[in-house]
Amino acid sequence: MIAQLSLSGFRVVAHRIIGAVGALFALGTTASAEETPAVQLSATYTGEAWRNLYGGLRSGSAYLENLEAAAEVDMERAFGWRGATVRVSAFWNDDDTLSERLVGDTQAVSGKDATGGTRLYETWVRQAIGGGAVKLGVIDLNSDLALNKAALLFVNGAQGLGLDLAQIGRNGPSVFPNTGLGVLAELPIDGHWEVKIGAFDGVPRNLDGPPGPTFRIGADDGALIVAELLHESDNETRLALGLWSHTAKFDAMGGAVERDSSMGGYALVERPLARWGDQRLDGFVRLGLAEPKTEEIAAAYSAGLVLSGRLLGLEDEALGVAFTTAQTSRPYRRARAALGAPVDKHETAVELTYRAQVTPWLAVQPDVQYVINPGADPALKNALVVGLRFEMAWSGPSGR
């Protein structure tokens, strides 16, 4: 059973981990700059202070904490296993919540808002084969599939993975915070086109079990299959078209069909729009669709702009504005209305954020979000949420 750490006990452990990472980094710096380290260690602490000024469930404050530690091994340098990489990572989250306790939104104001506890995050081996690769193990599918690079700046959880895909299955797909077993194949077509195909445990974590992957697949769990066609041009424009299907059957919401499959797809475009000296403006648009007969969210839309470069005199800065909308399905709205608990058609979050790398190890990010129809609940007023995220990161090689 995965250990549950108290906050005070975890901080002691965290200080020790950080000290160990720092010592290993100091040892690793004796290697020449040309050498690639066999083992790369990293640790990142993310703290977020939030205040729901009005609307939602109630006004109030929340402080979210996340600590992730990872080790990545170049197996060829370490053991002579050509073309292989191994990664192991784990994280700890505190018990405070923002969306569930204060805002009541579905898309999650913060992507770090998760159930408290300590759990394994990823454990995989990636083997290069020709120009492609195969990855096997415990995988966060959003690290490779449905990845919106331009939207990585934003704090809202639905910008990382649209709710059309993030809702799939009895416990969600294999993404933070509940990852599970999977296999992913990367198949390049030419210098610009690539096909990615992944199969993942349909229930990454038992609903009644401890946090973390189960390392087993139940007979009724099914599997989530995702296929993506990706194009990256010389001017950094990215186009991704994805299709997914869950092999399990799910309860249909009303109608003659009692059980039905779940499937959908997404399209993403991101590209540079303009450049001024060392500054650049990027934009993105994403659309995702899901099966309305079995899923609460039938569609998700998002778009945004990111201005990066030297803005206020710091080395690494970015300013962004974006929105993300989740559209409830008609069968779901009918089913809720029949129960006397009607829901609206949309929830939309508009986000304005700025991130600056203050030092090599510290980044700060003030953030403002306006949530329209939180939880698509007509009883909740629109919410205005302000927050400050800061990240402290350490990384370095361990030996040669």
Side-chain angles (χ1 to χ4, degrees):
M1 184 174 182
I2 298 176
Q4 303 296 310
L5 300 179
S6 67
L7 180 57
S8 59
F10 182 81
R11 282 173 174 163
V12 173
V13 174
H15 285 308
R16 291 177 180 174
I17 291 174
I18 292 167
V21 171
L24 288 169
F25 176 78
L27 291 173
T29 55
T30 59
S32 66
E34 291 77 12
E35 292 180 333
T36 301
V39 180
Q40 189 77 19
L41 302 177
S42 63
T44 303
Y45 172 83
T46 303
E48 297 180 354
W50 291 98
R51 177 72 181 178
N52 185 26
L53 297 178
Y54 61 80
L57 296 174
R58 66 181 182 87
S59 299
S61 301
Y63 184 72
L64 309 181
E65 294 182 282
N66 173 273
L67 175 61
E68 181 179 344
E72 191 162 309
V73 184
D74 183 331
M75 299 298 285
E76 183 171 356
R77 286 187 55 82
F79 304 105
W81 181 357
R82 181 172 298 178
T85 303
V86 170
R87 181 178 176 85
V88 178
S89 63
F91 72 89
W92 168 85
N93 253 59
D94 70 344
D95 290 320
D96 202 359
T97 60
L98 173 63
S99 291
E100 181 179 350
R101 186 168 63 86
L102 299 177
V103 185
D105 61 313
T106 302
Q107 299 184 95
V109 167
S110 170
K112 295 295 185 182
D113 195 349
T115 304
T118 305
R119 68 196 76 175
L120 182 67
Y121 180 39
E122 288 192 303
T123 301
W124 48 254
V125 56
R126 182 180 185 273
Q127 176 64 57
I129 303 175
V134 174
K135 182 188 286 189
L136 176 65
V138 177
I139 303 171
D140 181 339
L141 71 84
N142 196 215
S143 297
D144 299 277
L145 296 162
L147 177 61
N148 187 347
K149 293 183 178 180
L152 291 176
L153 168 69
F154 297 97
V155 176
N156 190 286
Q159 292 291 5
L161 184 68
L163 212 59
D164 52 291
L165 182 53
Q167 69 182 330
I168 300 309
R170 289 186 293 138
N171 195 40
S174 181
V175 296
F176 177 89
N178 298 318
T179 49
L181 293 172
V183 58
L184 175 76
E186 303 171 15
L187 310 171
I189 299 175
D190 60 23
H192 296 288
W193 292 92
E194 183 179 26
V195 172
K196 297 182 179 181
I197 302 175
F200 305 89
D201 184 356
V203 183
R205 178 181 68 83
N206 285 337
L207 298 179
D208 300 322
T214 61
F215 292 104
R216 65 179 180 82
I217 298 177
D220 299 325
D221 290 354
L224 176 61
I225 312 299
V226 186
E228 179 179 285
L229 176 64
L230 178 66
H231 180 268
E232 297 194 46
S233 64
D234 291 333
N235 69 350
E236 300 182 66
T237 297
R238 295 179 73 248
L239 168 65
L241 299 173
L243 294 174
W244 53 263
S245 177
H246 203 297
T247 63
K249 295 294 184 179
F250 299 92
D251 293 333
M253 287 176 281
V257 180
E258 295 182 358
R259 304 278 286 178
D260 209 337
S261 60
S262 181
M263 60 189 304
Y266 57 86
L268 165 69
V269 178
E270 52 179 315
R271 62 164 299 166
L273 299 177
R275 287 184 172 88
W276 306 275
D278 64 348
Q279 299 177 357
R280 59 181 283 174
L281 179 67
D282 294 272
F284 67 88
V285 177
R286 184 190 183 278
L287 165 66
L289 301 174
E291 175 53 64
K293 289 183 291 185
T294 57
E295 305 301 336
E296 295 181 10
I297 303 301
Y301 321 89
S302 61
L305 296 170
V306 177
L307 177 64
S308 57
R310 187 181 290 271
L311 306 177
L312 299 178
L314 299 175
E315 291 295 330
D316 188 4
E317 299 174 83
L319 174 67
V321 60
F323 81 90
T324 176
T325 295
Q327 177 181 315
T328 58
S329 69
R330 183 176 298 177
Y332 175 65
R333 295 197 299 272
R334 288 175 176 171
R336 289 292 300 270
L339 295 174
V343 296
D344 289 331
K345 188 174 182 180
H346 298 97
E347 174 192 284
T348 298
V350 181
E351 180 176 1
L352 176 65
T353 194
Y354 165 79
R355 187 179 191 275
Q357 194 72 38
V358 180
T359 73
W361 55 270
L362 175 63
V364 296
Q365 183 170 0
D367 190 90
V368 179
Q369 295 187 43
Y370 188 64
V371 183
I372 304 169
N373 290 337
D377 187 343
L380 298 182
K381 295 182 179 180
N382 299 345
L384 178 62
V385 191
V386 296
L388 176 65
R389 167 185 283 188
F390 64 95
E391 295 177 352
M392 295 185 293
W394 300 262
S395 65
S398 174
R400 303 190 183 188

